[in-house]
Amino acid sequence: MQEEIRLQKYLAECGIASRRKAEEYIQEGKVQVNGTNVTELGVKIDPNNDIVYFNNKKVIKKNENIYILLNKPIGYVTTTKDQFNRQTVLDLIRGINKRIVPVGRLDMYTSGALILTNDGDFTYKVTHPSHEITKTYVATLRGIITNEEIEKLRSGVEIEDYLTRPAKVKILKTDTERNISRIEITIHEGKNRQVRKMCEAIGRNVIALHRSKIGNITVKDLKIGEWRYLNQTEIRTVIGF
């Protein structure tokens, strides 16, 4: 007999959202158990006997979690639906009959590593700053970057009244003829358009941005627009167990 579990944990296991987001949905009155609205946290359910609804749709427990690594192309938005009918990253994933969502975001003009899954707890562990999952980017900048500017990025820069945490930064290439620089920058945070804003804070415009790695998971063997399943070793490496 399966033990009772907290409602938010069940929603996360079913891929509805991360546990923290599921708590918000409960408090907003979007979740029902056996036909009754539940708005208080701490409620436990029996997954074998209780029927849970989210937004008036029955929640189905998934028997298998899916973890996909996509090498996102430029021009796709990182969402499941887009109000402007732009192409989304889900348009690149074919043959999956379960609901998956992107883990975090890459802006429309950034390419590279993006994980999609139906595991809400995994999403929380990857995106929450307390777990300090690194994200590595390769940025092509206008102009020849200086060592002083690199040190500023390493130490932390102010963006929108927020001081970024120390980052790992190294110069990959400078091209005086084309007047560009290419740097690799690794951060733990995931603020909106953070790398672009960090570079702007030192007076450099980003002309191309690619996320090469999430933790130790790289897209170097994936062509742009291709995807593959993560293996169990990669999954354990990312979430630290």
Side-chain angles (χ1 to χ4, degrees):
M1 178 178 177
Q2 183 171 347
E3 295 181 356
E4 291 187 337
I5 63 173
R6 291 188 182 274
L7 180 56
Q8 59 266 37
K9 183 175 188 294
Y10 179 77
L11 292 171
E13 290 178 350
C14 292
I16 298 299
S18 69
R19 201 176 302 191
R20 177 170 291 186
K21 191 65 178 179
E23 291 176 351
E24 294 178 15
Y25 288 152
I26 292 169
Q27 292 174 317
E28 291 168 358
K30 296 181 178 180
V31 180
Q32 299 84 39
V33 177
N34 300 326
T36 301
N37 265 28
V38 175
T39 57
E40 298 292 328
L41 301 180
V43 171
K44 292 186 177 182
I45 66 157
D46 178 352
N48 292 323
N49 296 308
D50 293 324
I51 301 175
V52 178
Y53 291 84
F54 171 67
N55 280 342
N56 298 316
K57 293 183 179 179
K58 185 177 179 180
V59 175
I60 305 298
K61 180 68 178 292
K62 301 184 186 308
N63 296 321
E64 180 183 357
N65 287 326
I66 296 173
Y67 308 89
I68 286 172
L69 176 67
L70 169 70
N71 194 347
K72 174 191 170 298
I74 292 171
Y76 288 78
V77 293
T78 307
T79 184
T80 54
K81 293 181 181 179
D82 183 67
Q83 59 179 329
F84 303 111
N85 292 320
R86 293 173 297 185
Q87 291 181 301
T88 77
V89 291
L90 290 184
D91 292 323
L92 298 165
I93 311 295
R94 302 296 182 186
I96 304 296
N97 59 4
K98 295 183 179 180
R99 180 180 181 271
I100 56 175
V101 297
V103 178
R105 288 180 178 271
L106 286 179
D107 70 57
M108 185 174 179
Y109 302 105
T110 299
S111 62
L114 181 70
I115 296 174
L116 299 97
T117 185
N118 59 349
D119 184 341
D121 276 344
F122 178 90
T123 298
Y124 172 78
K125 289 173 182 176
V126 173
T127 56
H128 196 274
S130 65
H131 293 278
E132 296 192 342
I133 304 298
T134 59
K135 288 88 176 177
T136 301
Y137 297 81
V138 174
T140 303
L141 311 177
R142 183 72 64 194
I144 304 303
I145 196 166
T146 66
N147 289 329
E148 182 182 1
E149 291 167 342
I150 290 291
E151 287 303 320
K152 287 181 180 179
L153 291 174
R154 287 173 176 165
S155 300
V157 294
E158 190 169 314
I159 54 174
E160 300 175 351
D161 299 324
Y162 170 78
L163 183 66
T164 61
R165 297 176 63 183
K168 293 180 180 179
V169 187
K170 64 180 179 180
I171 298 175
L172 299 178
K173 179 182 180 181
T174 56
D175 187 332
T176 54
E177 185 175 336
R178 297 171 60 196
N179 193 34
I180 62 170
S181 303
R182 185 166 294 127
I183 65 172
E184 181 182 85
I185 179 167
T186 301
I187 60 176
H188 291 100
E189 304 154 295
K191 302 288 184 181
N192 182 39
R193 296 171 63 87
Q194 180 173 333
V195 173
R196 293 182 185 274
K197 291 176 181 177
M198 288 174 68
C199 294
E200 289 169 2
I202 62 167
R204 297 294 175 187
N205 291 326
V206 175
I207 56 179
L209 186 61
H210 176 80
R211 184 158 70 187
S212 57
K213 291 194 296 185
I214 299 173
N216 291 321
I217 298 175
T218 176
V219 290
K220 68 178 182 179
D221 295 325
L222 278 178
K223 294 180 181 178
I224 290 289
E226 290 186 344
W227 63 272
R228 64 172 175 83
Y229 292 105
L230 294 182
N231 60 48
Q232 289 300 311
T233 300
E234 290 172 325
I235 295 166
R236 288 194 296 270
T237 298
V238 168
I239 59 180
F241 68 84

